[in-house]
C-alpha cells in the first residue's frame, strides 16, 4: 500500500484507467462508480480537488446548507487540495475600488495571481481612475486592464453586472472583490476586508489550490463568514421579497427560507457559467436604488445573497474556505449562539438598563414539532378530508392576503376563513369546520421551549415588566390557552397583530408597544427568533435584542443532519408531511434547547448519549418498521406474528405500544429461537449440513465451529482420528469466506453420523416448544416470524420442520431470502430493503447490520437448544452471559429508553394531532445511514460499548 501511495506514476496510470472506464459507462452509473472508487480507494486520489471536496463533505463537521446534495456546500481546508500547475482557462477579476487609497493594497494581493488574467476595475471618479491605471498597470501576468468610472449606485454589484457583465461573461473563471470598509458599524468588523482578500488572494500557492477546486467542477469559492460578523447575516434579513422576486425571474423554484450559503461580503471566485443567468438577466443600473448609506434592504444586498442561491441552483458544489485563524464548525458562525449560557441570558434580561422585556411567542416560547410550521395547514387539510382539505390548501394563503388587503390592516382567523369561504364557495358549516380544525391543530401542536420559558420567569423575578408580541392571526383567547397549557404564565400584557392591526415585521407594532408601555427604545430588550422582525427591525430602532436560534436552523447547520432537513423540506412525496413531523420530533428534542452545555457538532444531533442514539436512530427505525409491519400483515391476511429473539423483544414492545393506537392488528408473541436452535434439528442429511456450513465463520477453532454450527463435541479419540487420517491439522483455524468449504468437506463427512444423532435429539423438544406457542398449528390463521432479517435462515428451517406455511417480515432481506419464498411458497419480505445484495456489498443497513442488532438486542442470553427436562417438559438451554455482556445492560437500557421516548412522542402526535401519522421507512433508513456512515468519536464510543455475542459466526463477543 505504501508503494502505491508514494508511486506517483502508478497512481496516475490507475486514475487514467479509471477515467477511461468512467466515460464508457452510462451516465446514470458514473456517480456510483466515483462514489465506490473514492470510498474504497481514496488513497489513489489524495490531493485531487474533486476527491478532497468529496472527502470533506463526508467527514467535515462544518458543512452548512446540506452536503451530499447537488449544489452542496462544504467547509474546505485548502491545505488538503493539490495546487493546480497550469491555467484552467481564461481568467478575469473585477475589482470595485470605491476608496482609491486602497488600490495599492489590492495590487499587492493581485500580485499573487499565478496565471494570466484580465482585470476590470470600477471607480467612482476620474482621479481614482488615473490612480488605479497607474497602480494596477504594473501587475505581472496582467493580460488586459480596463478601468471605468461608474455611478455611485448599486455598490460593487451594479458595476460587475451592468458595466462589465458582458465582458466578464466571455471568461471561464471570475473573481469579484471590492474596497470594503463597512464604516456604518463603527469598527465592529474591522479586518473583514483583509480577511476576505487574504482568503481569496493570499498567496500564489493558495490561488493555485483555489483554481484546482474550480477546474474540477466547483461552481463557487468564497471564504467562511468573517468571525466578527453576526451569524444572522447569513439570512435574507430585509432582502427576502426582492430575493424571492428575482429567484422567480431567474427560474429558481426553491427559495431558501432560513440560513443559507452565500459570500457574505460579496467577494468570491466562480465559474462563469454559474453567474451567467445574472449576466443575461438584463439588470439595469436604474434597477438599483440611489446611494443613501443603506445598511441593508437594497437590490445590491439581495444580489449578494442571490450569488449563493445561483451557485446552488447550478448543481455544482460550493467550496467555503475554512477560516484557520478563527476556526468554527459552522459556515454561518453558529458558535456565537450555541456557546451562550443561561447565566449570560439571565444577565441580559436582569440588566438595570432594561425596563421592558418583550418576548416573541412562536418558535421562542412555544414550538411545534415541524421543520416548517406552515405545514400545520397540511395537517388541517388532512383532518378536514380530501374534498374540503384540498379547497382549504388551495385558497388559504390567498384568502389571508386578500383579507388583509381589503381591511388595510392585519386580520384574524375569522376574517381569513370568511374570505376563504367566499373564494372557494364554501358553506358556513364548512368554514366553521375549518376554523375549529385550525384552532384544534394549533393547540395540539404546541409545547414549551423550556429554556426560554424559564428565561421569561427570570425576567419576572428580576422585577421587569414582561410583555408578549406576535404577528399572528389566531385570536387572543386561543393564544392565552396555548400559553397556559405550556406553562407560560405571569406576563403582563399580550400584543397580537391581528387584534392591534399592525405587525412586528413592518416595525409598526414596536412603535405601538413603545407608546403603550411608555418606554424608550434603549430601555427595551426584544427576545425572539425571527432575524428580520425580532432582531434587525428592533435593533434599527435602538432596542436591545436577544436573538433565539430556531432548532431547525441549528439542524440545518449540522453536517449530517443538514441533508435530511433539506430532503424533508423539498419532498413532494405523499408522505412529506409525515417525514416533516417524524424528523421534526428529533430536531425539537435535541436542538431546541436555548443553552447547550455539551454540544458536539460532529454528532448527528449534537449529542452522543445513548438516549440520543435511541431517540434519533433506534426509535424511528423501530416504529417505522412496526407501522409497516402492521399494514403489511393486515393487507396479507396474516393474523399471528412471532417476534424472534433477541431483537424481537424490543420490537414486540414497540408493536404493543403501537397496537394501543391502531385497530385490527394481528396477535403478537415472542418466539425464543436462534439460528443454532433451529438449524441443527432441521438437519436430515449432508445437504442440510453443507447449507449451514457455507455461511460466514471465523477465524476460530474447528472444535468451536462444530459445536456452534452442529452441536457436536468430539472426544479425544475422535479428534485423534481426524488428525491421523489427515482430515485436519491440529491447531488449524476454520475461516469461511464466500462459501468456500472445500477443505472442510472431509471433516463434515466424518462427523455426519454424530450430527444426525444430535439433530434427532434436539428435534423433538423443539417441535414441542413450537406446538406450545401455537406456531404452525392452524393453517387457517396464517402466521409470520418477525426479525431484523437478511437471508431468512430461521424462517427456512421452520418451514422445513413444520412443512411450510411460515411467512417472514423483516427490516431488510437480501437476495438469499428469495430462495425461502420460492421453496415453500411463502412471503419473505423486507421493509427498508427487500432482496438486496448481501453484506459486504449490500446497502448500508445490511453492511452495518451488526450495529442495528446492537441497538435492538435484548439483555437475555442466546438460546442454544431445547431439551427434555426430568419432568418431561421442554426447557431451553441458554448460553451463559459473559461479564462484558452483563456490563452493557445499563447502556442498552438507555438506548431503549431513548427509542421508546421517540415512540411515545410519535404516538402522541398520532393521538392528538394527526391520527394516521406514520414514520416514513425511507426517513428512518436515512437516519440510520447518516449515523453509521460518519460516526463521531463520541458516537463510536457508545456503539463500541454495546457488546454483543456472535459466537455463531465464530467472532465471540464483538464491541
Amino acid at each position: 500500500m505504501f508503494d502505491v501511495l508514494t508511486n506517483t506514476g502508478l497512481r496516475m496510470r490507475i486514475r487514467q484507467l479509471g477515467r477511461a472506464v468512467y466515460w464508457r459507462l452510462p451516465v446514470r452509473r458514473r456517480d456510483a462508480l466515483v462514489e465506490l472508487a473514492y470510498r474504497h480507494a481514496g488513497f489513489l486520489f489524495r490531493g485531487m480537488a474533486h476527491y478532497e471536496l468529496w472527502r470533506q463533505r463526508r467527514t467535515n463537521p462544518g458543512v452548512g446548507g446540506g452536503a451530499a446534495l447537488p449544489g452542496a456546500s462544504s467547509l474546505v481546508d485548502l491545505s488538503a487540495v493539490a495546487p493546480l500547475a497550469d491555467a484552467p482557462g481564461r481568467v478575469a477579476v473585477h475589482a470595485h475600488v470605491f476608496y482609491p487609497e486602497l488600490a495599492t493594497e489590492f495590487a499587492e494581493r493581485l500580485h499573487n495571481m499565478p496565471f494570466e488574467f484580465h482585470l476590470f476595475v470600477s471607480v467612482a471618479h476620474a482621479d481614482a481612475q488615473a490612480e488605479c491605471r497607474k497602480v494596477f498597470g504594473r501587475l505581472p501576468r496582467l493580460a488586459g486592464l480596463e478601468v471605468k468610472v461608474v455611478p455611485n449606485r448599486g455598490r460593487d454589484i451594479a458595476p460587475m453586472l451592468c458595466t462589465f457583465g458582458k465582458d466578464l461573461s466571455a471568461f471561464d473563471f471570475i473573481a469579484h472583490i471590492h474596497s470594503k470598509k463597512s464604516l456604518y458599524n463603527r469598527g465592529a468588523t474591522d479586518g473583514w476586508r483583509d480577511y476576505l482578500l487574504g482568503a481569496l488572494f493570499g498567496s500564489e500557492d493558495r490561488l493555485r489550490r483555489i483554481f484546482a477546486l474550480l477546474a474540477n467542477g466547483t461552481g463557487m469559492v468564497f471564504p467562511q463568514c468573517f468571525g466578527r460578523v453576526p451569524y444572522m447575516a447569513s439570512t435574507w434579513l430585509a432582502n427576502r421579497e426582492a430575493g424571492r422576486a428575482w429567484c422567480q425571474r431567474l427560474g429558481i423554484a426553491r427559495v431558501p427560507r432560513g440560513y443559507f450559503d452565500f459570500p457574505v461580503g460579496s467577494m468570491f471566485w466562480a465559474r462563469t457559467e454559474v453567474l451567467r443567468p445574472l449576466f443575461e438577466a438584463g439588470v439595469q443600473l436604474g434597477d438599483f436604488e440611489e446611494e443613501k448609506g443603506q445598511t441593508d434592504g437594497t437590490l445590491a444586498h439581495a444580489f449578494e445573497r442571490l450569488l449563493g442561491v445561483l451557485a446552488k441552483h447550478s448543481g455544482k458544489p460550493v467550496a467555503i474556505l475554512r477560516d484557520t485563524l478563527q476556526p468554527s464548525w459552522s459556515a454561518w458562525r453558529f458558535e456565537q449562539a450555541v456557546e451562550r449560557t443561561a447565566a449570560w441570558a439571565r444577565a441580559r434580561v436582569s440588566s438595570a438598563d432594561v425596563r421592558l422585556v418583550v418576548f416573541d411567542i412562536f418558535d421562542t416560547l412555544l414550538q411545534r414539532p415541524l421543520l416548517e410550521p406552515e405545514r400545520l395547514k397540511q395537517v388541517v387539510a388532512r383532518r378536514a378530508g380530501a374534498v374540503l382539505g384540498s379547497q382549504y390548501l388551495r385558497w388559504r394563503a390567498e384568502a389571508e392576503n386578500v383579507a388583509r388587503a381589503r381591511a388595510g390592516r392585519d386580520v384574524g382567523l375569522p376574517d381569513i376563513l370568511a374570505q376563504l369561504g367566499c373564494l372557494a364557495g364554501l358553506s358556513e358549516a364548512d368554514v366553521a369546520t375549518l376554523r375549529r380544525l385550525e384552532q384544534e391543530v394549533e393547540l395540539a401542536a404546541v409545547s414549551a421551549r423550556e429554556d426560554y420559558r424559564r428565561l421569561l420567569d427570570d425576567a419576572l423575578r428580576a422585577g421587569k415588566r414582561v410583555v408578549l408580541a406576535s404577528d399572528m392571526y389566531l385570536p387572543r383567547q386561543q393564544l392565552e390557552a396555548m400559553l397556559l397549557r405550556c406553562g407560560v404564565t405571569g406576563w403582563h400584557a399580550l400584543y397580537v397583530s391581528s387584534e392591534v392591526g399592525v405587525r412586528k415585521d413592518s416595525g409598526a407594532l414596536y412603535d405601538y408597544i413603545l407608546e403603550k408601555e411608555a418606554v424608550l427604545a434603549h430601555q427595551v430588550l426584544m427576545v425572539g427568533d425571527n432575524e428580520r422582525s425580532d432582531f434587525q427591525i428592533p435593533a434599527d430602532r435602538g432596542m436591545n435584542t436577544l436573538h433565539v436560534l430556531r432548532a431547525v436552523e441549528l439542524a440545518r447547520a449540522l453536517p449530517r443532519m443538514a441533508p435530511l432537513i433539506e430532503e424533508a423540506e423539498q419532498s413532494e412525496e405523499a408522505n412529506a408531511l409525515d417525514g416533516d413531523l417524524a424528523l421534526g420530533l428529533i430536531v425539537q428534542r435535541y436542538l431546541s434547547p436555548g443553552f447547550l452545555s455539551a454540544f458536539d457538532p460532529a454528532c448527528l444531533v449534537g449529542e452522543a448519549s445513548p438516549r440520543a442514539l435511541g431517540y434519533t436512530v433506534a426509535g424511528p427505525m423501530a416504529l417505522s418498521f412496526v407501522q409497516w409491519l402492521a399494514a403489511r400483515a393486515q393487507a396479507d391476511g396474516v393474523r399471528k406474528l412471532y417476534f424472534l429473539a433477541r431483537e424481537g423483544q424490543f420490537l414486540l414492545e414497540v408493536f404493543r405500544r403501537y397496537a394501543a393506537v391502531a385497530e385490527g392488528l394481528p396477535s403478537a408473541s415472542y418466539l425464543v429461537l436462534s439460528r443454532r436452535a433451529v438449524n441443527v434439528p432441521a438437519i436430515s442429511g449432508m445437504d442440510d449440513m453443507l447449507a449451514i456450513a457455507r455461511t460466514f465463520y471465523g477465524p476460530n477453532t474447528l472444535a468451536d465451529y462444530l459445536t456452534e454450527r452442529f452441536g457436536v463435541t468430539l472426544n479425544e479419540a475422535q479428534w485423534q482420528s481426524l488428525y491421523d487420517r489427515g482430515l485436519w491439522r491440529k491447531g488449524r483455524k476454520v475461516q469461511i469466506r464466500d462459501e468456500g468449504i472445500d477443505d472442510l468437506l472431509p471433516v463434515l463427512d466424518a462427523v455426519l453420523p454424530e450430527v444426525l444423532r444430535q439433530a434427532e435429539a434436539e428435534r423433538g423438544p423443539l417441535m414441542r416448544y413450537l406446538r406450545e406457542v401455537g406456531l404452525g398449528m392452524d393453517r387457517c390463521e396464517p402466521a409470520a416470524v418477525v426479525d431484523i432479517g437478511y437471508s431468512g435462515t430461521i424462517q427456512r428451517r421452520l418451514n422445513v420442520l413444520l412443512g411450510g406455511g411460515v411467512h417472514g417480515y423483516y427490516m431488510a432481506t437480501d437476495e438469499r431470502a428469495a430462495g425461502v419464498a420460492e421453496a415453500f411458497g411463502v412471503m419473505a419480505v423486507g421493509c427498508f430493503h427487500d432482496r438486496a445484495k448481501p453484506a459486504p456489498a449490500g446497502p448500508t443497513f445490511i453492511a452495518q447490520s451488526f450495529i442495528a442488532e446492537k441497538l435492538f438486542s435484548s439483555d437475555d442470553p442466546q438460546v442454544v437448544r431445547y431439551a427434555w427436562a426430568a419432568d418431561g417438559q421442554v426447557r431451553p438451554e441458554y448460553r451463559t452471559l459473559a461479564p462484558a455482556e452483563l456490563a452493557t445492560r445499563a447502556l442498552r437500557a438507555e438506548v431503549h429508553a431513548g427509542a421508546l421516548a421517540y415512540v411515545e412522542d410519535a404516538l402522541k402526535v398520532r393521538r392528538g394531532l394527526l391520527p394516521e401519522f406514520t414514520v416514513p421507512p425511507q426517513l428512518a433508513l436515512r437516519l440510520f445511514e447518516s449515523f453509521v456512515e460518519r460516526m463521531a468519536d463520541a458516537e463510536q464510543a457508545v456503539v463500541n460499548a454495546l457488546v454483543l455475542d456472535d459466537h455463531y459466526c465464530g467472532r465471540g463477543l464483538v464491541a
Side-chain angles (χ1 to χ4, degrees):
M1 179 67 73
F2 181 76
D3 291 341
V4 174
L5 284 170
T6 56
N7 189 327
T8 304
L10 178 59
R11 291 170 67 197
M12 289 300 296
R13 287 195 294 275
I14 294 174
R15 292 179 192 174
Q16 289 169 358
L17 176 62
R19 289 192 187 99
V21 173
Y22 176 89
W23 291 113
R24 285 177 171 79
L25 284 174
V27 172
R28 67 181 185 277
R29 295 186 179 177
R30 290 174 183 171
D31 287 345
L33 171 67
V34 171
E35 180 80 10
L36 185 68
Y38 284 178
R39 279 181 183 232
H40 299 288
F43 59 89
L44 294 173
F45 306 98
R46 286 178 189 166
M48 288 180 58
H50 190 272
Y51 168 74
E52 292 299 338
L53 194 58
W54 173 89
R55 180 181 64 82
Q56 292 184 64
R57 281 202 301 271
R58 285 181 54 82
T59 61
N60 195 338
V63 177
L69 292 170
S73 306
S74 66
L75 284 172
V76 172
D77 183 355
L78 272 183
S79 65
V81 178
L84 191 69
D86 301 314
R90 300 188 70 218
V91 180
V93 176
H94 170 240
H96 180 61
V97 186
F98 183 79
Y99 302 103
E101 65 270 23
L102 297 178
T104 301
E105 176 186 327
F106 273 51
E108 290 172 355
R109 297 296 190 179
L110 292 169
H111 194 276
N112 294 325
M113 279 293 294
F115 310 124
E116 185 178 88
F117 71 105
H118 285 68
L119 178 60
F120 298 90
V121 183
S122 50
V123 296
H125 50 79
D127 290 345
Q129 183 180 41
E131 176 68 12
C132 286
R133 281 175 176 162
K134 180 178 70 173
V135 172
F136 294 132
R138 298 191 293 265
L139 287 171
R141 304 185 183 87
L142 186 66
L145 172 63
E146 188 167 353
V147 185
K148 286 188 177 182
V149 177
V150 299
N152 184 20
R153 191 170 184 142
R155 305 285 172 87
D156 56 295
I157 299 293
M160 178 180 69
L161 298 178
C162 303
T163 305
F164 293 119
K166 184 176 180 181
D167 298 303
L168 293 171
S169 64
F171 292 84
D172 300 304
F173 304 96
I174 302 170
H176 171 69
I177 55 179
H178 59 103
S179 57
K180 187 175 189 64
K181 282 194 176 183
S182 300
L183 299 176
Y184 68 91
N185 62 28
R186 302 174 184 175
T189 54
D190 282 353
W192 191 0
R193 180 186 69 253
D194 188 60
Y195 165 75
L196 295 175
L197 290 172
L200 295 170
F201 289 88
S203 69
E204 180 175 330
D205 177 75
R206 188 173 188 84
L207 279 157
R208 288 184 182 275
R209 295 173 192 269
I210 290 173
F211 273 103
L213 292 170
L214 293 167
N216 280 274
T218 298
M220 183 173 284
V221 180
F222 53 84
Q224 184 176 5
C225 190
F226 183 49
R228 296 172 66 182
V229 171
Y231 64 87
M232 291 77 73
S234 292
T235 66
W236 286 109
L237 290 178
N239 310 289
R240 182 183 299 275
E241 292 310 312
R244 189 186 305 277
W246 274 92
C247 281
Q248 183 176 9
R249 183 168 171 177
L250 294 169
I252 300 172
R254 300 197 180 279
V255 182
R257 285 195 293 266
Y259 289 77
F260 58 101
D261 295 318
F262 63 91
V264 180
S266 65
M267 299 196 203
F268 59 89
W269 276 102
R271 299 177 69 94
T272 308
E273 60 197 277
V274 169
L275 300 179
R276 200 172 304 282
L278 266 185
F279 288 141
E280 297 176 351
V283 184
Q284 302 294 319
L285 186 64
D287 295 331
F288 294 88
E289 299 85 352
E290 292 184 9
E291 180 58 44
K292 296 179 181 179
Q294 303 97 319
T295 60
D296 197 24
T298 69
L299 185 59
H301 288 104
F303 275 9
E304 176 185 9
R305 289 154 173 81
L306 278 172
L307 294 169
V309 178
L310 270 174
K312 182 167 186 176
H313 180 68
S314 74
K316 297 185 177 300
V318 173
I320 304 173
L321 304 179
R322 182 186 293 279
D323 182 355
T324 56
L325 295 179
Q326 282 187 279
S328 169
W329 57 271
S330 166
W332 305 321
R333 298 289 182 174
F334 274 177
E335 75 279 0
Q336 297 171 9
V338 171
E339 292 174 3
R340 295 170 180 164
T341 65
W344 172 86
R346 282 195 298 272
R348 294 292 309 280
V349 300
S350 304
S351 171
D353 296 330
V354 171
R355 287 182 52 197
L356 177 71
V357 183
V358 183
F359 280 87
D360 171 56
I361 297 178
F362 292 98
D363 294 316
T364 301
L365 294 171
L366 304 182
Q367 59 185 347
R368 282 78 63 97
L370 283 157
L371 304 177
E372 174 46 60
E374 273 298 301
R375 276 187 167 161
L376 272 179
K377 293 181 175 62
Q378 295 180 27
V379 177
V380 174
R382 275 170 60 167
R383 289 180 57 168
V387 176
L388 182 58
S390 65
Q391 291 285 76
Y392 170 80
L393 285 180
R394 179 182 178 185
W395 296 106
R396 177 60 173 78
E398 184 173 347
E400 184 168 350
N401 291 333
V402 171
R404 189 175 290 135
R406 288 186 173 180
R409 49 166 283 163
D410 204 21
V411 294
L413 187 61
D415 296 323
I416 294 169
L417 292 183
Q419 186 62 54
L420 188 151
C422 293
L423 293 171
L426 300 180
S427 67
E428 290 185 6
D430 283 342
V431 171
T433 296
L434 291 175
R435 180 176 178 180
R436 174 182 57 81
L437 285 174
E438 190 157 344
Q439 290 183 283
E440 284 180 0
V441 165
E442 289 280 3
L443 182 61
V446 294
S447 61
R449 201 166 177 187
E450 287 295 335
D451 280 351
Y452 294 103
R453 184 191 65 77
R454 285 191 286 268
L455 188 63
L456 184 149
D457 292 341
D458 291 332
L460 291 170
R461 279 192 291 270
K464 306 300 180 184
R465 181 166 172 82
V466 174
V467 304
L468 313 184
S470 181
D471 286 345
M472 174 50 69
Y473 48 80
L474 292 174
R476 166 184 288 271
Q477 296 84 351
Q478 170 93 9
L479 292 176
E480 290 175 344
M482 297 164 81
L483 291 162
L484 182 62
R485 174 180 174 175
C486 296
V488 181
T489 60
W491 41 270
H492 300 104
L494 170 61
Y495 296 94
V496 187
S497 64
S498 58
E499 181 178 79
V500 176
V502 291
R503 296 173 58 87
K504 286 188 298 175
D505 59 17
S506 71
L509 183 55
Y510 288 113
D511 298 334
Y512 182 88
I513 291 172
L514 290 174
E515 181 180 350
K516 284 290 184 182
E517 296 291 332
V519 292
L520 300 176
H522 71 270
Q523 298 172 320
V524 179
L525 173 66
M526 177 63 207
V527 182
D529 70 282
N530 189 285
E531 291 78 14
R532 174 63 176 157
S533 62
D534 296 331
F535 171 73
Q536 189 180 42
I537 289 176
D540 286 346
R541 277 167 166 70
M543 296 181 186
N544 302 289
T545 57
L546 193 165
H547 183 257
V548 173
L549 187 61
R550 292 184 297 282
V552 68
E553 301 303 338
L554 184 52
R556 204 190 308 278
L558 292 176
R560 293 153 62 200
M561 186 61 74
L564 303 181
I565 299 296
E566 187 151 354
E567 289 165 15
E569 289 181 335
Q570 294 184 4
S571 174
E572 296 179 358
E573 301 294 328
N575 63 358
L577 175 59
D578 298 77
D580 192 300
L581 277 165
L583 193 56
L585 288 172
I586 294 171
V587 171
Q588 178 176 280
R589 170 66 68 105
Y590 286 98
L591 299 172
S592 70
F595 314 110
L596 298 161
S597 58
F599 182 74
D600 183 352
C603 295
L604 181 63
V605 290
E607 181 179 327
S609 68
R611 279 186 181 252
L613 171 55
Y615 195 94
T616 59
V617 181
M621 289 209 79
L623 182 56
S624 178
F625 171 62
V626 159
Q627 290 176 318
W628 170 87
L629 169 67
R632 181 67 193 247
Q634 286 177 308
D636 293 338
V638 171
R639 298 308 307 152
K640 291 184 177 180
L641 298 175
Y642 291 88
F643 288 76
L644 294 178
R646 290 176 290 175
E647 294 81 9
Q649 187 178 88
F650 178 76
L651 296 176
L652 177 58
E653 172 64 20
V654 175
F655 184 86
R656 285 172 174 163
R657 294 188 184 213
Y658 180 60
V661 300
E663 297 179 353
L665 271 58
S667 65
S669 304
Y670 188 50
L671 191 61
V672 184
L673 292 178
S674 66
R675 285 176 292 179
R676 163 65 184 82
V678 297
N679 275 351
V680 172
I683 295 174
S684 61
M686 179 57 78
D687 287 345
D688 294 326
M689 275 192 70
L690 295 179
I692 295 169
R694 288 191 181 99
T695 56
F696 172 90
Y697 188 85
N700 212 324
T701 65
L702 179 61
D704 282 335
Y705 176 72
L706 294 176
T707 299
E708 294 298 335
R709 289 296 169 89
F710 305 109
V712 170
T713 302
L714 303 182
N715 59 37
E716 188 174 338
Q718 289 171 317
W719 279 113
Q720 194 60 49
S721 174
L722 289 179
Y723 301 147
D724 291 344
R725 292 157 60 192
L727 302 182
W728 198 256
R729 187 179 73 255
K730 189 174 184 178
R732 182 184 178 187
K733 300 284 188 180
V734 175
Q735 185 167 4
I736 299 172
R737 302 288 188 275
D738 301 322
E739 301 188 355
I741 58 170
D742 289 350
D743 53 349
L744 275 172
L745 292 177
V747 176
L748 297 178
D749 186 62
V751 301
L752 177 60
E754 291 291 329
V755 172
L756 292 176
R757 280 192 288 273
Q758 185 65 30
E760 181 64 26
E762 294 184 20
R763 189 175 300 119
L766 175 62
M767 295 300 290
R768 169 71 70 83
Y769 170 69
L770 296 177
R771 285 195 296 273
E772 288 176 353
V773 298
L775 183 58
M777 298 300 105
D778 185 356
R779 294 299 176 87
C780 295
E781 281 200 309
V785 294
V786 179
D787 195 16
I788 285 186
Y790 316 120
S791 65
T793 298
I794 293 177
Q795 182 189 357
R796 178 186 289 275
R797 303 305 174 203
L798 288 173
N799 276 291
V800 169
L801 291 164
L802 298 171
V806 180
H807 303 289
Y809 294 123
Y810 304 98
M811 282 190 166
T813 62
D814 64 36
E815 55 196 15
R816 296 171 294 176
V820 179
E822 293 163 5
F824 300 99
V826 294
M827 293 176 290
V829 293
C831 170
F832 303 120
H833 296 291
D834 191 36
R835 303 188 184 184
K837 288 285 184 184
T844 299
F845 182 77
I846 290 178
Q848 300 282 1
S849 60
F850 209 67
I851 293 179
E853 292 167 25
K854 282 185 170 188
L855 296 180
F856 298 119
S857 184
S858 72
D859 291 330
D860 296 343
Q862 185 77 270
V863 64
V864 177
R865 65 173 67 86
Y866 283 88
W868 296 115
D871 59 0
Q873 299 299 310
V874 172
R875 63 175 176 82
E877 293 183 2
Y878 294 100
R879 183 185 303 281
T880 303
L881 289 173
E885 292 175 282
L886 295 172
T888 201
R889 283 181 165 178
L891 187 63
R892 184 175 292 115
E894 286 289 295
V895 173
H896 287 181
L900 290 176
Y902 181 86
V903 170
E904 285 304 312
D905 285 348
L907 295 184
K908 181 180 178 182
V909 169
R910 191 178 176 97
R911 285 190 294 265
L913 188 62
L914 188 62
E916 69 273 23
F917 168 56
T918 301
V919 179
Q922 186 59 29
L923 172 62
L925 183 62
R926 289 284 287 116
L927 283 163
F928 179 84
E929 292 169 344
S930 296
F931 177 78
V932 302
E933 288 182 350
R934 290 186 286 163
M935 274 191 279
D937 291 343
E939 293 167 329
Q940 186 74 62
V942 174
V943 172
N944 289 351
L946 288 167
V947 175
L948 194 64
D949 76 86
D950 195 19
H951 297 287
Y952 190 78
C953 290
R955 299 194 296 167
L957 298 181
V958 181

